[in-house]
Amino acid sequence: MQMEDFYESNLLAKWLRIILSPLMALYCILVNLFFGFKHYQTKRKGVPPISNDLLFISATDAVEKLAKRELRSLDLVNAYIDRIEEVNKTIVAAVNVDYEAARDQARQCDKFLDQIADNDEQLVKLLKEKPLYGVPITIKECIKIKGFKCTAGIKCRKDSVSEVNATVVERVLQAGAIIIASTNVPEMCARLESINNVYGQTRNPYDYARTAGGSSGGEGSLIGAGGSLFGIGSDFAGSIRLPSFFNGIFGLKPTGGVVPLDGHIPKISTIRQQMLCIGPMSRYAKDLSLLLHVIADPEHTGKMNLTSTVDLTQIKVFYMEKLVTPLCEDVHDVSLKSVHKVIKNLATSFDVAAHRLDLPLAHFAWEMFYACADLGTRPFLSEYMVDCKGDVNLYNELLKAPFGKSDHSTAIILLGILEKQSVLRKKDQSTLSLYRDRLKRELSELLSKNGVLIFPSFPCPIPFHGQMTLKSLNAAYACLWNVLGLPVVQCPLGLDFDGLPTGVQIIGAPYNERLIVEVAKHLEQRFGGWAAPK
């Protein structure tokens, strides 16, 4: 049974899809024209250039330099604190900081390293037990850090301070990392723009007029601006990869279930947890494996073989140019060019053929996402709005919002209303879940141990503020991989002619993070990876 058969059995969905096709095309044209006209004469302005060379050292190299006493932890921490202070007033990315605690921890790291500087045995033991020793890190605000606020952008949680650490936070601390800040998110982490009524709106470090994305937008913006060495985000519908793309950095959505989710706010249902992942974000590809090895459950690190070498001469390369769906706009030339230059490079570098794919079921990404995310069931967004301590009257909030009397944004209120309008029958959900399983099986077998799929990061250039909200369905390019639970690296490819980040997604079979990170490292060497804002 193919997806077309599903639409034959659900005539309402079929006719909605037919009607939507021309309407969505016209809608996207009008939205693009409006924002293009609005910003036609707006001069691009971003964060000031990085002046401290310490901010160009990768986390992996920083650990080595610290161990050799070629670098001091306090100097590195101070360099990042200074950069946060320099850029954060404009990008609003870091929302909670504890500079003095970070400095104290850095001094302790330096003191201990001074004491064992001549003892190779102790150094080896230290780095094995604490692979992040002395390096600063930032973490998405919705992940609990003891002593830090954890609001998830929800107004009623504005004074909520965590009494415990999430498991991933505990693991990075045990590994020796120093937390210097937590970073902004959308309200309830439910939008692809990082804006809320607690902290405000996060901006893109390359162009203040453009979005930093969401829901890990604060993390992406701060790392992209050079205000963080690396960090931890979470991804339910592209929430690591879209901010990573928009802010020109690397982001890894691991295989589903690899990293524990406890301590993540809001807490979601068991079914939805199958699609939510916590993962690393960084400016350098090699730091992805370093951080993932620390935060992943031990039983999964063995499956991923993160520390073993990869022979890229044995790679198999596949690519897909776009999704054919009326629910999002057609892919732009800039996205196609990114895919084509990557497959051309891989084919040339490793003397392999790149195989173009057309996966029919992939074009129904949103339908599968809707079914598999169990949308339209409790807990509803209206319950999350009050921290699951009741239920909000969304229509009352919608009337109050234009007058600034609501604690919630209009976009979130409308999303909450739409969420309760279920359009799928239980039978439809079951059918779509079967299609998801079939597509995952097909791709897992195709990619196997040495195959990668190159896929567009997003169908259009980085949206302006507000534009992303009006074209949220473009996230189909990212949410498809949450549905399938496959590991994905968002890989930056430098800047385009407008000075904005470009990139592609690299998809692998389950537990094949090692291969896709290695491909990202190769592309970083070839195309430059993260490029500092100018």
Side-chain angles (χ1 to χ4, degrees):
M1 188 177 184
Q2 296 300 314
M3 189 66 81
E4 287 77 5
D5 298 326
F6 161 73
Y7 279 98
E8 290 299 330
S9 66
N10 190 326
L11 293 179
L12 174 61
K14 176 183 178 180
W15 281 106
L16 279 174
R17 191 176 178 90
I18 292 171
I19 293 168
L20 272 176
S21 189
L23 291 178
M24 182 60 76
L26 177 61
Y27 171 78
C28 289
I29 290 171
L30 294 175
V31 169
N32 291 339
L33 284 173
F34 172 79
F35 281 93
F37 178 77
K38 180 181 177 182
H39 295 280
Y40 178 69
Q41 291 185 316
T42 303
K43 185 178 179 181
R44 183 174 64 85
K45 185 178 180 182
V47 296
I50 297 171
S51 57
N52 191 331
D53 289 343
L54 292 181
L55 301 180
F56 289 101
I57 302 172
S58 70
T60 304
D61 292 341
V63 172
E64 293 179 2
K65 287 180 178 293
L66 286 166
K68 294 176 181 177
R69 312 311 294 130
E70 296 173 356
L71 175 66
R72 300 193 72 79
S73 177
L74 183 59
D75 291 337
L76 190 62
V77 167
N78 277 332
Y80 278 100
I81 290 173
D82 290 344
R83 182 63 174 173
I84 291 173
E85 289 297 290
E86 181 180 25
V87 303
N88 201 56
K89 289 177 183 176
T90 50
I91 62 173
V92 193
V95 292
N96 295 289
V97 299
D98 192 346
Y99 294 153
E100 287 313 307
R103 288 186 175 113
D104 287 343
Q105 192 177 343
R107 290 187 189 99
Q108 293 172 16
C109 288
D110 288 330
K111 183 178 179 180
F112 184 72
L113 284 169
D114 286 340
Q115 291 173 350
I116 66 169
D118 298 323
N119 191 323
D120 292 341
E121 232 175 76
Q122 277 190 288
L123 275 174
V124 170
K125 182 182 178 184
L126 175 69
L127 296 182
K128 184 177 180 181
E129 294 176 351
K130 297 182 179 294
L132 305 180
Y133 196 72
V135 298
I137 192 171
T138 52
I139 295 173
K140 187 176 182 179
E141 196 262 10
C142 65
I143 299 173
K144 289 184 177 180
I145 307 168
K146 186 177 180 180
F148 278 60
K149 286 185 179 181
C150 181
T151 71
I154 304 170
K155 191 71 175 285
C156 69
R157 289 182 58 90
K158 64 183 177 65
D159 297 318
S160 179
V161 177
S162 299
E163 297 180 355
V164 296
N165 288 320
T167 297
V168 290
V169 172
E170 196 63 39
R171 287 176 179 175
V172 297
L173 290 173
Q174 289 176 358
I178 299 171
I179 298 173
I180 56 173
S182 64
T183 52
N184 205 20
V185 298
E187 184 179 359
M188 297 177 292
C189 299
R191 289 180 65 182
L192 296 172
E193 290 235 35
S194 291
I195 180 172
N196 58 67
N197 289 332
V198 181
Y199 303 114
Q201 183 177 60
T202 298
R203 291 166 149 186
N204 190 298
Y206 294 88
D207 184 352
Y208 294 155
R210 297 180 189 267
T211 181
S215 59
S216 306
E219 197 65 30
S221 177
L222 194 64
I223 296 171
S228 173
L229 181 52
F230 62 165
I232 297 175
S234 61
D235 193 312
F236 182 70
S239 295
I240 284 175
R241 287 159 293 137
L242 289 175
S244 294
F245 170 52
F246 296 159
N247 297 285
I249 65 171
F250 293 89
L252 171 58
K253 184 201 84 65
T255 304
V258 161
V259 180
L261 300 174
D262 65 289
H264 186 282
I265 299 295
K267 188 175 181 180
I268 60 176
S269 66
T270 303
I271 293 176
R272 295 173 189 171
Q273 286 178 19
Q274 297 173 16
M275 297 170 61
L276 176 65
C277 296
I278 289 176
M281 301 169 70
S282 68
R283 282 181 281 136
Y284 302 100
K286 58 186 174 183
D287 292 343
L288 296 175
S289 294
L290 176 69
L291 186 50
L292 182 59
H293 196 275
V294 168
I295 63 176
D297 282 332
E299 66 265 29
H300 295 304
T301 53
K303 297 177 187 176
M304 293 185 288
N305 295 317
L306 291 171
T307 56
S308 59
T309 57
V310 176
D311 182 6
L312 290 183
T313 61
Q314 302 300 311
I315 195 173
K316 293 180 180 177
V317 180
F318 304 91
Y319 70 99
M320 192 167 169
E321 294 180 330
K322 62 181 178 178
L323 296 177
V324 181
T325 169
L327 300 180
C328 55
E329 67 185 296
D330 198 14
V331 69
H332 290 220
D333 284 345
V334 66
S335 298
L336 284 175
K337 286 177 180 176
S338 294
V339 170
H340 289 159
K341 75 177 184 179
V342 165
I343 60 175
K344 181 179 179 181
N345 174 263
L346 293 176
T348 303
S349 299
F350 305 110
D351 193 25
V352 296
H355 303 278
R356 182 177 179 274
L357 297 181
D358 182 16
L359 303 166
L361 292 177
H363 301 304
F364 299 88
W366 269 122
E367 289 88 338
M368 290 189 289
F369 178 84
Y370 189 93
C372 299
D374 204 29
L375 298 178
T377 59
R378 305 186 77 166
F380 296 122
L381 287 176
S382 57
E383 295 173 285
Y384 286 134
M385 287 177 178
V386 287
D387 203 22
C388 292
K389 295 174 182 175
D391 200 345
V392 169
N393 185 319
L394 293 169
Y395 295 98
N396 282 349
E397 295 299 317
L398 188 61
L399 292 173
K400 288 157 55 178
F403 306 99
K405 300 297 184 181
S406 176
D407 288 339
H408 315 286
S409 68
T410 302
I412 285 293
I413 296 168
L414 289 172
L415 186 60
I417 292 171
L418 288 172
E419 181 195 23
K420 294 183 177 181
Q421 314 308 310
S422 179
V423 296
L424 290 179
R425 303 165 298 183
K426 286 293 182 183
K427 178 183 177 182
D428 298 332
Q429 288 182 301
S430 178
T431 301
L432 289 165
S433 295
L434 289 174
Y435 292 148
R436 171 205 58 192
D437 294 341
R438 178 185 300 173
L439 181 57
K440 180 177 180 177
R441 185 170 60 251
E442 289 174 356
L443 271 171
S444 299
E445 292 173 356
L446 179 68
L447 300 178
S448 188
K449 296 292 184 183
N450 60 344
V452 294
L453 172 62
I454 307 301
F455 195 77
S457 301
F458 201 64
C460 64
I462 301 168
F464 293 101
H465 291 296
Q467 190 177 15
M468 185 67 187
T469 300
L470 295 175
K471 297 197 298 181
S472 296
L473 294 179
N474 281 346
Y477 281 75
C479 76
L480 172 62
W481 311 109
N482 296 88
V483 172
L484 300 179
L486 300 179
V488 188
V489 167
Q490 168 56 41
C491 179
L493 301 172
L495 307 180
D496 65 13
F497 58 88
D498 285 326
L500 298 174
T502 61
V504 295
Q505 294 185 87
I506 308 167
I507 298 98
Y511 303 108
N512 215 1
E513 282 83 352
R514 176 188 57 158
L515 175 63
I516 58 177
V517 169
E518 200 63 32
V519 172
K521 287 163 65 176
H522 166 80
L523 295 175
E524 179 182 32
Q525 292 175 350
R526 175 60 183 83
F527 298 110
W530 168 75
K534 299 176 182 178

